[in-house]
Every structure is written in structure tokens, then in C-alpha cells.
Amino acid sequence: MKKCEHCSKPAVLHITELQDGSVEAHHLCESCAKEYLTQSSEPESVEVESSLSIDESDDSETAEAAPQEQPPCPNCGITFKEFRSLGRLGCAHDYSHFREELTRLIENIHSEVQHVGKVPKRQPDASRQQFDLIRLKLQLKEAIDEENYEKAAGLRDQIRQVELELRSSSPAT
Amino acid sequence: MNLDVLTQRSGEWLRGTGPEADIVISSRIRLARNLAEFPFVNRASDAVRAQIEDFLRERIEKLQGRRPLTYLRTSDLEPLDRQFLVERQLISREHAEDHGQCGVGVSSEENVSLMVNEEDHLRMQVLRSGMDLDAAWAEINEIDDLMEQEVAYAFDSQFGYLTACPTNVGTGIRVSVMLHLPALVATKEIQKVFQALQKIGLAVRGLYGEGSQAMGDFYQISNQVTLGKSEIDIMKSIKDVVAQILGYERRVRTALVKENRQALHDQVSRAFGILQNAQTISSEETMHLLSSVRMGVNLGLIDDVEIPTVNELFIQTQPAHLQKLRHQKLESAERNIARAAYIRQRLAENNPHTSA
Ligand SMILES: [Zn+2]
Ligand SMILES: [Zn+2]
């Protein structure tokens, strides 16, 4: 059995990286794999985790009062309650995650719930890819939490692929 | 862009040209946009804010629009310089107070400003002199299309352009028209206008937007609803209302002249006399007197000063402008002296009679 390249624990993740034409093989143990995948997928994900845990402790007090409270946004960690007190959402995914609650709120504000008017020309492809990206990042986080590192590595490759497609679908400058 | 150069001139939108420029100071359209791949600004760490700013800055600097933009990293500026940009309407008050890396791309005529890391990742605005919403829309729409080729906006087929605050979601548009309404204010008819506007869901704001006081009889009329109506429909509702308010203001002006021409002539002439001679003057009194003078010129009661000069003085007599002009920090009392001196000088050099 191969040992982790960072410490001497048994390696559970074996991946091959293709970066700028060079090939790199990595063998990592559980804890180093977790760190490695988190770091390379998204710089802000560490922060997401810490804000998630704060929200949970916050919510425990009022859990009884609001039994149907939505779980926080998996992307930015905001809860609907937090949004109500701040008046600002945390990320674009919140509009999907809290769609039902927001639809009611938006109807109050605008008397309408369906956008009309300008639509980005790159629609619908670009936004479908963006939502893929959000979904894949969410799955990646779950895979890491479940310690399913093979799956996580595969997901991370998919994320890179989508990110690459997104970049190339915008005209080069 | 050297900010000191700006103190010597003024934005194109203050020229006092364009349709209905006797009452309509400016037309403004702002679009709120966010990048799909980043959290909203209020949820972004300093490091992520910096990433967003770098990302957008690079694209703004390369933007091939009809006007080249100069980019300023506002978070690196002194508070006085940020206040100066607020007074010129190039950045919002919220943007000036923001913490973390942020910036703005500005055209040399000061018609276009693209704010990075305000409440939303990108807030783009176009300002035009007079009642000129169609031209403002054509230009901001074009800039938006150009940006969209470079970035992936957060967009949802139900909710439209996604914004940090659901009050801006959908089109992300705010259409504002700044009006000078001295006659409606003097006769207190303005209250009726406010009530009527509230009923149809339009907002009234002061010179510097949300929460700012109405100064010098200036009012900004803008839409509140951003979702469920197209940009064109939103502009149309503003145009219709502004046309009615213009008619109202003109009728009251005519009635004032007809009923009491002499008293009105006396009032505007005294206002001009004070501005020409005062040795110390507050910002509030300046706004009030300039407003009188502006109406007097538009009604043909006095012709000692040109409208663009009056328009410029509204902006250039504000605290940050005076301090930039003097290259020093000034306390309130010192500002009042500097303000009076600046106004005397400007009115002397711009007097059509003395220069002719
Ligand atoms: Zn290890
Ligand atoms: Zn979120």
C-alpha cells in the first residue's frame, strides 16, 4: 500500500493531475486528501464551512419556533432567517435554494414573479453551465464529507471541465 | 486619472443641454449585475472581494465601448477623494463607505461609471443631460452587452438578473430623472406630486439618492419595481410621469410670474445679489439661492449668468470639491468662506455683461 506523500499515513486517494501539459501523480491520506480537494476546488470553501457551523448553532435555539426552516444555502451558507435580518442574499444560488420563500417575498415587492425584459445573449447555455458548476461543487463537498475521495476527484475533474467550457464559450479577448 | 484635473471641469451631464433642460437636470440609468461564479459582495471575504475586483477591473479596462474608461481603485483613495467622486455622482454613497477592495471605471466626460463591488459586483450607470432616457438606455445596454461577452452574469429564467437584494432583481434597472421643481416647492404643490407618485409605485429621492435630503429643490424620480416589467416599459412609466410633472411645474411657474412678477423678480435678483457678494455662506443657503437664480434665468427674469454655470455651482460648492480646490482640509466655517469666495469668482468671470 502506498503511503501519503504529505505524511506517512496510508494513502486513500490516488489521482493523476494534468496541468499545463505536465502529468503529476498524487497519493494522499484521508485528511490530506480532504485538504487537497477543498483547496484546489474553491478558495472560499473553507470559509463556507466555518460560516455553516455558526449558522447551525444559531438555529438550534429557534429550531422549535420554525420547524420548517430551510437548511442553509450549500453554496454560501446563508440561512433564510439570516437573509431576513440582513436584507441581502449571499449568492446567486440562494434564488434557487429558497425559491419558494423568495417567490412570496418578490411578489410582495414587485407584484410579479416572472422576469420579462432583457435576457443575456449567452443564455441558456452559460447559465446552465453555471448551475452545473454550483451543483457539482455541492456534490464535491458532499463527497468529501462522506470521505468518498475517488468520487470527489472525479467531480473535481468535471468542475474543471465545465470551468474550461465556460471560459472558452466567452469570446477570447 | 488625476482627480485634481477634475476639479477644473465638470461632467458633461451638467451642461444644461438636452430636451426639457430648464427643469430636467439629468437622466440616469443604472443596471445591477452579478457574476455567477462568486458569492455576493456582502458574503465575500476580503480575499474573494479582491478576486472579484481584479477580475472585473481587467475586463473594464479592456472594454471596447464608444468611450474609453479610466479605472480608479476607490478603496485606495483618501476619504476626501471618495467623497469628491460621490459629489460628482460618479460613485454612490454606499460605494464610498464600503470596506474592502472596490473601484470604478469612469469615462472622461463623466457620463459613464461602472462601479465594482458596491452592493452588487457590478453597477453600471449612464448619465445624460436633460430628458434623454432613450440615449442613456442605448448606451448602457450596449455596455452591458459588451460586458456580457466577457463574464457570466448570474441569471435565472424566472427571476431574471440576480441581485444581492431582491428589490433589484429582474431587470436590475433603476431609471432616474433629476428634476428642478422650485415653483412646485414654493407653492407646496409638491406634496400632491409625492402622493401621486407613491400611489403608482415610483420613488422620490434627493440629489444624492436613497435617504438623501432634497436640496435646492432637486428631486429624483425613479422606479421601484424591477421585475415583471421590461426595461422599455419601466422607462415609459417614468417618461409619462415626468411629462406630467413638467407640465405642472411650468403651469405653476407661469401663474407665479403672471400673479406677482415683481415679487418674483425681486426674489431672484436678491438671491443673485447675495451669491455675488456674500463673504461667507453655508451649503444649504447656497443651494437655496442657486435654485432661485436658476428659475429666474429660465423664466427670463435675469440674464446675468448662464445655466451651465449655475448647474456646475450646485456640485462645485460642495464640501469635498471646495477642499480639493484649496488643496487642504477645511472646517465648516472655513468652507463657508471658501465657498463664498469661489461663487463670487465664478459669477464674476461668467457674467455675460462684464465679459462682453
Ligand atoms: Zn497525509
Ligand atoms: Zn447561497
Side-chain angles (χ1 to χ4, degrees), chain B residues 44-299:
Chain B
S45 64
D46 286 350
V48 174
R49 278 189 193 207
Q51 277 181 35
I52 297 166
E53 201 260 354
D54 288 340
F55 181 87
L56 284 173
R57 173 190 194 144
E58 198 185 306
R59 278 147 189 86
I60 287 171
E61 282 175 336
K62 279 194 289 190
L63 206 67
Q64 299 290 317
R66 43 177 121 161
R67 302 172 209 271
L69 301 177
T70 305
Y71 192 91
L72 295 166
R73 183 171 283 165
T74 35
S75 46
D76 291 347
L77 297 177
E78 297 294 316
L80 180 66
D81 287 335
R82 292 203 294 265
Q83 184 56 35
F84 176 77
L85 294 175
V86 172
E87 289 176 3
R88 294 181 89 81
Q89 314 240 339
L90 293 173
I91 65 173
S92 62
R93 291 191 304 174
E94 179 158 344
H95 186 91
E97 287 157 14
D98 247 359
H99 305 288
Q101 206 166 306
C102 59
V104 64
V106 180
S107 71
S108 61
E109 308 88 347
E110 300 179 46
N111 277 347
V112 178
S113 88
L114 309 189
M115 269 181 278
V116 174
N117 281 350
E118 207 239 25
E119 182 182 303
D120 295 297
H121 295 150
L122 187 59
R123 287 211 164 175
M124 307 179 280
Q125 86 167 16
V126 167
L127 264 168
R128 307 282 299 200
S129 178
M131 187 68 195
D132 207 3
L133 286 176
D134 292 333
W137 169 246
E139 184 159 9
I140 196 76
N141 193 25
E142 193 180 297
I143 292 170
D144 186 44
D145 286 344
L146 288 170
M147 279 307 290
E148 196 214 308
Q149 291 173 14
E150 307 296 325
V151 305
Y153 285 147
F155 184 87
D156 176 274
S157 55
Q158 182 190 353
F159 293 136
Y161 292 94
L162 304 177
T163 51
C165 183
T167 54
N168 298 313
V169 80
T171 54
I173 199 171
R174 173 151 293 154
V175 179
S176 313
V177 175
M178 185 147 63
L179 302 171
H180 182 225
L181 303 172
L184 291 177
V185 174
T187 56
K188 304 207 164 56
E189 294 290 304
I190 194 85
Q191 292 304 329
K192 290 182 200 161
V193 175
F194 291 168
Q195 282 160 11
L197 288 173
Q198 251 161 18
K199 267 187 208 145
I200 55 170
L202 297 181
V204 186
R205 299 182 172 83
L207 189 56
Y208 286 102
E210 212 125 1
S212 72
Q213 262 200 312
M215 293 185 293
D217 308 323
F218 289 116
Y219 293 92
Q220 279 193 71
I221 314 285
S222 52
N223 65 299
Q224 280 181 301
V225 165
T226 54
L227 181 128
K229 287 168 91 181
S230 70
E231 293 85 354
I232 303 297
D233 286 345
I234 289 169
M235 283 195 291
K236 186 173 184 310
S237 64
I238 297 279
K239 284 185 207 166
D240 290 349
V241 158
V242 166
Q244 287 182 35
I245 299 174
L246 290 182
Y248 199 3
E249 168 75 17
R250 291 216 173 91
R251 280 199 303 280
V252 176
R253 284 187 187 188
T254 312
L256 284 177
V257 174
K258 211 168 139 191
E259 283 160 26
N260 218 337
R261 186 186 175 94
Q262 204 158 35
L264 199 63
H265 193 178
D266 181 64
Q267 183 211 317
V268 301
S269 304
R270 279 169 186 271
F272 189 67
I274 294 173
L275 290 171
Q276 267 184 314
N277 294 291
Q279 299 297 310
T280 169
I281 191 163
S282 71
S283 172
E284 218 182 329
E285 188 181 4
T286 303
M287 295 299 258
H288 180 69
L289 297 175
L290 283 173
S291 175
S292 269
V293 168
R294 195 176 188 281
M295 179 171 69
V297 175
N298 280 327
L299 288 175

Side-chain angles (χ1 to χ4, degrees), chain A residues 32-167:
Chain A
C32 295
K34 206 164 184 167
E35 200 174 309
Y36 178 78
L37 287 167
T38 318
Q39 273 180 357
S40 52
S41 71
E42 202 179 39
E44 65 262 40
S45 52
V46 178
E47 208 186 310
V48 170
E49 288 210 80
S50 61
S51 58
L52 266 174
S53 55
I54 292 164
D55 293 345
E56 272 156 16
S57 61
D58 246 19
D59 281 352
S60 59
E61 293 169 24
T62 51
E64 277 184 5
Q68 288 171 326
E69 176 100 352
Q70 280 280 322
C73 167
N75 197 24
C76 73
I78 201 168
T79 61
F80 197 70
K81 211 181 90 192
E82 234 181 315
F83 155 67
R84 291 308 305 241
S85 73
L86 292 169
R88 304 280 183 277
L89 290 158
C91 77
H93 182 62
D94 300 350
Y95 281 95
S96 313
H97 187 71
F98 302 116
R99 190 173 295 271
E100 222 174 283
E101 295 91 331
L102 282 174
T103 302
R104 255 175 280 143
L105 179 77
I106 284 171
E107 188 168 17
N108 279 334
I109 301 170
H110 300 286
S111 310
E112 299 281 347
V113 292
Q114 177 58 54
H115 169 64
V116 292
K118 190 170 181 178
V119 167
K121 290 198 179 65
R122 285 205 299 181
Q123 276 282 123
D125 250 26
S127 78
R128 182 187 51 73
Q129 284 166 326
Q130 290 297 341
F131 287 123
D132 281 352
L133 212 54
I134 291 168
R135 180 180 50 78
L136 287 169
K137 283 179 178 172
L138 169 62
Q139 286 173 350
L140 172 65
K141 198 175 166 299
E142 280 168 4
I144 295 170
D145 289 347
E146 288 163 9
E147 302 182 347
N148 187 345
Y149 299 113
E150 291 300 333
K151 190 180 168 194
L155 283 165
R156 207 192 43 156
D157 288 345
Q158 283 186 55
I159 288 171
R160 288 204 171 146
Q161 187 56 39
V162 177
E163 279 176 342
L164 219 74
E165 283 168 21
L166 269 171
R167 299 244 150 86

